[in-house]
Amino acid sequence: MKQIDHNQFWLIKDNPITKAGVFPYLGKQIAPSLEPEKIYQVYRPAEEIKKAADTFKLVPLVDNHTMLGAEFTPAEEKVVHGVLGEDIREQDGILYANVKIFSETLKQEIQNGKKELSLGYFCNYDLVPGQYNGMHYDAIQRDIKGNHIALVDRGRMGHDVRVMDRALAFDCMDITGTFDENPNHNPENGQFTSGGGAVKKTETGAKQGASSAPIEITGNELGDYKDITELRKKALDYYKNHLQGKSAKNPVLGEVLFSRKGKREFEHYSANPDKLKMILAVKSILDTSRDVSTEDLHKVRNDGAIRFHRVAGKVKIGTGEKSKTVNVKVLVWEDRDGNKFYDLELPK
């Protein structure tokens, strides 16, 4: 939860800023000897994060990625909106820091929903394969040196690395995801170049940034309802009768099963009528969207999940002038055997 001082500056204490784990990168981000467009798994060890902790003290907070410094973009040319504090600690493979925000502009962006944090740093890669928590990796990040931290629309690290103000305190920590540090790596010198934003998606067999046409629903498919309780029941009945026990075929992920767990998640979700009505669009999004991002878990969950995939799509709800198009993300979790299950994540 944020603290506000006499200057109206924000302080968010113990915000996670990076973590250990295995994360996907394109070959061109790692080394010239690798296939440029192939996705490789990169291991970021906890001991490397711990060694790097001091290098992130007092690095500037900026809006979207730009590498800063005399050899890159001078700090005075890139508006600095805040700073990381000096109290930085590593615990269980996660690096925590205090985030101080001075800028009214950045505070407004956070209040409008732009909350994910993403590190920009320098590092080297060891092209040594191995296993971490049962997950294969192709390379190891070494010699991490901090440059900045950026507020981005979506980071590789996922929802556990957001600005922890009151509104997001709970869903930030529900899912342990992966991080989106600056991907503009120069493999010749182990450094990142300036001027780039974070990699927002990592996809297998898909063109990055590819998107499908909006799924159109009228909003009346579930019929009339007297209150939100009745609408929720109708949405649950639709799930049970039309989705549960069946599967979607995503062009990137393959088969995604609709389980009872997905129904239970939906049952506890949202009092917003539009969100409940969007249950009709979930299968179509999974069947058509190639816009897929992947987040590997630091630890295997009790239900066996080892990673999450977010499938992004658009839903046009309503007709005529009253229609609106909404960006939607459908969450899919994957177990050790490669089975994938619909979970739940619709717009906030």
Side-chain angles (χ1 to χ4, degrees):
M1 183 168 64
K2 65 177 179 285
Q3 300 175 10
I4 303 176
D5 67 15
H6 63 283
N7 294 311
Q8 299 299 302
F9 297 159
W10 289 6
L11 175 64
I12 300 95
K13 290 190 172 183
D14 285 332
N15 210 102
I17 61 169
T18 197
K19 64 182 285 187
V22 178
F23 311 116
Y25 285 82
L26 289 173
K28 63 186 177 183
Q29 298 168 223
I30 303 170
S33 60
L34 301 180
E35 296 181 37
E37 301 302 324
K38 180 179 176 180
I39 293 176
Y40 294 85
Q41 300 300 323
V42 176
Y43 175 37
R44 185 181 305 126
E47 58 267 25
E48 293 293 332
I49 290 172
K50 192 170 185 176
K51 287 194 305 182
D54 284 350
T55 73
F56 289 101
K57 291 181 177 180
L58 300 177
V59 299
L61 170 65
V62 297
D63 190 14
N64 297 321
H65 279 297
T66 301
M67 295 300 283
L68 303 176
E71 297 181 7
F72 301 98
T73 299
E76 63 270 23
E77 293 182 13
K78 176 72 173 176
V79 176
V80 175
H81 296 271
V83 68
L84 290 186
E86 291 188 277
D87 186 8
I88 297 182
R89 63 184 178 87
E90 182 270 341
Q91 182 177 335
D92 298 327
I94 301 175
L95 195 63
Y96 297 88
N98 296 338
V99 182
K100 188 82 170 185
I101 301 172
F102 313 128
S103 160
E104 295 301 317
T105 300
L106 208 70
K107 286 190 280 186
Q108 187 62 53
E109 288 206 43
I110 292 168
Q111 289 172 331
N112 290 340
K114 185 177 181 180
K115 290 178 180 261
E116 297 196 14
L117 295 172
S118 174
L119 289 178
Y121 58 86
F122 308 107
C123 74
N124 294 310
Y125 290 90
D126 280 348
L127 299 183
V128 179
Q131 294 278 329
Y132 172 75
N133 282 352
M135 297 176 60
H136 170 80
Y137 61 80
D138 305 292
I140 306 172
Q141 282 188 341
R142 304 285 192 193
D143 306 319
I144 297 169
K145 299 289 189 295
N147 178 269
H148 69 273
I149 188 164
L151 189 73
V152 297
D153 288 311
R154 182 170 55 176
R156 190 195 308 267
M157 201 161 63
H159 299 309
D160 59 342
V161 187
R162 290 179 171 227
V163 178
M164 301 292 197
D165 65 6
R166 182 186 301 271
L168 267 289
F170 294 102
D171 76 355
C172 290
M173 298 305 293
D174 282 348
I175 300 171
T176 300
T178 56
F179 291 50
D180 194 349
E181 283 85 19
N182 193 331
N184 300 293
H185 175 255
N186 182 342
E188 294 181 0
N189 59 19
Q191 296 184 347
F192 287 93
T193 59
S194 61
V199 171
K200 295 185 178 180
K201 312 170 188 72
T202 55
E203 295 148 313
T204 304
K207 180 181 178 182
Q208 291 210 11
S211 60
S212 303
I215 308 301
E216 297 188 16
I217 61 175
T218 66
N220 299 319
E221 287 89 347
L222 296 175
D224 296 331
Y225 57 93
K226 62 182 180 182
D227 54 28
I228 195 69
T229 301
E230 185 175 347
L231 177 59
R232 186 179 291 109
K233 183 180 184 306
K234 287 176 176 287
L236 289 168
D237 286 343
Y238 178 89
Y239 185 98
K240 181 178 180 181
N241 296 327
H242 297 277
L243 297 177
Q244 188 172 313
K246 300 179 181 179
S247 63
K249 272 280 183 117
N250 183 262
V252 177
L253 299 176
E255 187 175 27
V256 177
L257 303 174
F258 291 97
S259 65
R260 287 185 181 181
K261 180 180 182 296
K263 178 175 178 289
R264 289 197 301 269
E265 293 286 342
F266 194 83
E267 189 171 4
H268 295 290
Y269 186 71
S270 185
N272 184 315
D274 283 350
K275 294 176 185 178
L276 291 170
K277 293 172 184 177
M278 285 184 194
I279 190 62
L280 288 101
V282 167
K283 185 176 185 301
S284 294
I285 292 172
L286 288 174
D287 280 335
T288 60
S289 178
R290 301 181 66 87
D291 189 347
V292 179
S293 61
T294 297
E295 301 179 352
D296 292 305
L297 301 186
H298 179 52
K299 294 180 180 179
V300 178
R301 297 196 323 179
N302 291 336
D303 60 8
I306 63 168
R307 66 178 55 90
F308 287 94
H309 308 277
R310 283 183 175 82
V311 182
K314 294 182 178 181
V315 177
K316 181 180 179 183
I317 183 169
T319 57
E321 295 182 355
K322 293 184 178 181
S323 67
K324 55 185 174 182
T325 300
V326 181
N327 293 321
V328 178
K329 297 175 188 174
V330 180
L331 190 67
V332 173
W333 66 275
E334 180 178 348
D335 66 17
R336 290 181 183 216
D337 298 322
N339 299 312
K340 301 177 183 71
F341 304 88
Y342 160 80
D343 202 334
L344 181 68
E345 184 180 29
L346 291 175
K348 295 179 176 60

